[in-house]
């Protein structure tokens, strides 16, 4: 209101609802998860030919979901639908679960849910990109907002050499 005059602005309810949904998504403050993998110990190296297990180290509301929020007549729920693991050598692994954490005693078997086996030694920058989908509804409308969050870690992979003494 300015100088006694009123001004009205009309917005399409669908556009307003999606705008509110995007604001709600930002308010969730989603963040990348911590990469879990074998070998477990910091500074340890992976071995060529031995499966590397991959998993979400800290799955919670803001790193994996579901995260739900409502305001202004709009409700939104966000969750990770899949993860793309960039293995640092041009190969990608796509997983639809959090993966299975490896624990001592599981041996060198492949992960039952998400893993990769390196064929060459080297230093690899591994990226994990969580593909979120935020589903919203309000004012008789609904939609999906995709969001991707990434994290990186470096993995050293070496070869085991066997020396026979006769």
């Amino acid at each position: 209101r300015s100088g006694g005059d009123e001004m009205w602005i009309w917005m399409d309810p669908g556009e307003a609802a999606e705008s509110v949904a995007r604001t709600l998504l930002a308010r969730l403050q989603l963040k990348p998860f911590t990469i879990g993998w074998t070998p477990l110990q910091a500074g340890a190296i992976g071995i060529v030919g031995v499966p590397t297990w991959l998993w979400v180290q800290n799955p919670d509301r803001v790193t994996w979901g579901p995260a739900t929020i409502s305001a202004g007549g709009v409700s939104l729920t966000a969750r990770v639908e899949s993860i793309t693991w960039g293995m640092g050598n041009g190969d990608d692994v796509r997983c639809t679960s959090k993966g299975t954490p490896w624990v001592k005693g599981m041996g060198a078997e492949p992960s039952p849910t998400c893993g990769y086996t390196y064929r060459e030694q080297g230093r690899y920058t591994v990226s994990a990109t969580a593909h979120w989908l935020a589903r919203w509804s309000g004012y008789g409308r609904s939609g999906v907002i995709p969001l991707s969050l990434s994290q990186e870690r470096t993995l050293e992979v070496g070869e085991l050499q066997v020396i026979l003494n006769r």
Side-chain angles (χ1 to χ4, degrees):
R1 190 171 175 150
S2 135
D5 295 327
E6 288 186 8
M7 185 164 68
W8 295 89
I9 298 175
W10 181 86
M11 284 185 77
D12 177 302
E15 289 179 25
E18 183 169 350
S19 178
V20 171
R22 290 184 180 280
T23 300
L24 292 176
L25 181 57
R27 287 186 54 202
L28 286 175
Q29 297 182 338
L30 304 176
K31 61 183 184 178
F33 62 83
T34 300
I35 294 173
W37 65 22
T38 52
L40 294 177
Q41 293 177 319
I45 65 169
I47 305 296
V48 169
V50 174
T52 298
W53 290 36
L54 305 166
W55 67 86
V56 175
Q57 183 66 39
N58 60 335
D60 63 21
R61 188 181 73 78
V62 296
T63 61
W64 184 259
T68 300
I69 188 170
S70 296
V74 176
S75 295
L76 177 138
T77 298
R79 64 174 37 95
V80 174
E81 298 290 319
S82 67
I83 302 168
T84 301
W85 297 86
M87 302 313 298
N89 60 359
D91 289 351
D92 287 339
V93 175
R94 191 164 183 94
C95 300
T96 56
S97 74
K98 294 179 256 194
T100 303
W102 185 91
V103 293
K104 191 173 180 176
M106 287 183 156
E109 294 298 315
S111 168
T113 53
C114 190
Y116 182 79
T117 302
Y118 284 95
R119 298 290 171 213
E120 295 181 19
Q121 68 181 9
R123 186 175 182 87
Y124 299 98
T125 300
V126 177
S127 65
T129 302
H131 303 285
W132 291 78
L133 288 182
R135 291 177 171 83
W136 63 269
S137 64
Y139 301 105
R141 306 281 178 103
S142 63
V144 177
I145 303 169
L147 174 70
S148 294
L149 298 173
S150 297
Q151 183 77 302
E152 287 185 348
R153 234 178 121 183
T154 303
L155 176 62
E156 189 81 34
V157 176
E159 285 189 48
L160 286 179
Q161 302 288 327
V162 178
I163 299 172
L164 296 175
N165 287 329
R166 295 187 181 216

